[in-house]
């Protein structure tokens, strides 16, 4: 029993790790914590920051805003460390960055099922798209149809995986995706543009 529990725990951790990392974008709030510098100076750096309209973050002591847009929180933290070292301000800063709001709410989940490699429930992330959720579930398997059902708040809409705009639809907490099985003959889309339009 203990062995089974450990296996399930390992699978859950692997599934979470497989989810695409969310990139920072203008307007995102981040929390920065720096170690490896004098405690008095930490107080001047630690705290909340916001990604500006140009995708930059202005950090104390650096002459110009540091690019954050398009980077993950971890990538931005490493970039900030390099910037402080390059400027000769700190020799070995250790910076951690947490992007507020990337997890929409504690415990928020989405479900991915049907013909994917690893069906199950996954943590919801802000900005997650249909494609990212399916990729996070290991991608579609060899039996997958182009038809993807999106269940949201008691409603169901059929998406076409062959359409880029459908794959880029952003998910909401509690959404569920079901990848249908490919038919033996022609794999036609079962939905309609009118039904999908409100989700685009």
């Amino acid at each position: 029993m203990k062995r089974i529990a450990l296996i399930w725990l390992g699978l859950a951790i692997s599934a979470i790790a497989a989810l695409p990392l969310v990139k920072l974008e203008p307007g995102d709030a981040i929390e920065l914590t720096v170690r490896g510098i004098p405690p008095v100076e930490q107080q001047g750096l630690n705290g909340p920051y916001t990604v500006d309209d140009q995708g930059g973050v202005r950090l104390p002591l650096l002459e110009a805003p540091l690019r954050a847009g398009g980077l993950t929180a971890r990538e931005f933290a490493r970039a900030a460390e390099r910037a402080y070292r390059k400027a000769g301000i700190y020799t070995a800063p250790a910076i951690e960055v947490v992007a507020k709001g990337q997890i929409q709410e504690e415990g928020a989940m989405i479900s991915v099922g049907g013909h994917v490699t690893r069906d199950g429930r996954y943590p919801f992330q802000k900005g997650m798209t249909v494609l990212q959720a399916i990729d996070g579930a290991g991608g579609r398997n060899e039996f997958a149809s182009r038809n993807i059902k999106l269940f949201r708040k008691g409603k169901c809409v059929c998406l076409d995986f062959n359409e880029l705009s459908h794959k880029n639809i952003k998910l909401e907490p509690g959404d569920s995706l079901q990848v249908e099985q490919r038919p033996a003959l022609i794999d036609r889309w079962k939905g309609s543009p009118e039904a999908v339009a409100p989700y685009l």
Side-chain angles (χ1 to χ4, degrees):
M1 197 72 180
K2 199 175 198 179
R3 180 179 174 80
I4 294 173
L6 288 172
I7 291 173
W8 276 108
L9 179 61
L11 288 173
I13 292 171
S14 298
I16 292 171
L19 283 172
L21 295 174
V22 177
K23 307 288 187 179
L24 296 171
E25 55 188 40
D28 280 351
I30 63 173
E31 185 78 23
L32 185 143
T33 304
V34 59
R35 297 181 179 82
I37 66 173
V40 175
E41 296 185 38
Q42 288 181 21
Q43 296 177 10
L45 272 72
N46 292 350
Y49 297 86
T50 302
V51 181
D52 65 28
D53 293 340
Q54 285 72 47
V57 175
R58 184 170 289 281
L59 295 177
L61 306 178
L62 294 178
E63 291 184 4
L66 192 62
R67 183 177 73 87
L71 302 180
T72 65
R74 182 181 177 84
E75 289 169 342
F76 177 68
R78 301 294 80 79
E81 291 172 352
R82 289 192 297 271
Y84 279 116
R85 287 197 301 267
K86 185 176 179 181
I89 299 170
Y90 299 118
T91 56
I95 296 176
E96 293 180 9
V97 174
V98 176
K100 298 179 179 180
Q102 285 193 353
I103 299 300
Q104 183 73 15
E105 55 186 80
E106 187 176 356
M109 307 287 283
I110 55 104
S111 298
V112 184
H115 291 276
V116 292
T117 303
R118 296 184 301 271
D119 62 345
R121 301 180 72 231
Y122 297 92
F124 170 77
Q125 294 180 333
K126 178 187 173 184
M128 177 186 285
T129 65
V130 169
L131 177 60
Q132 288 174 329
I134 291 174
D135 284 348
R140 302 184 307 153
N141 63 29
E142 64 271 26
F143 303 107
S145 166
R146 65 192 287 184
N147 289 285
I148 312 290
K149 286 187 176 178
L150 167 61
F151 297 89
R152 176 179 294 171
K153 297 176 181 177
K155 296 181 179 180
C156 175
V157 62
C158 186
L159 308 178
D160 185 356
F161 195 77
N162 290 352
E163 289 290 333
L164 181 62
S165 61
H166 292 200
K167 291 189 283 191
N168 285 334
I169 290 174
K170 292 186 178 181
L171 298 179
E172 296 180 359
D175 279 355
S176 179
L177 295 172
Q178 189 74 17
V179 179
E180 294 198 338
Q181 182 174 340
R182 186 177 64 246
L185 299 176
I186 301 174
D187 188 16
R188 291 192 178 93
W189 178 40
K190 300 176 182 177
S192 69
E194 294 77 19
V196 177
Y199 296 82
L200 297 176

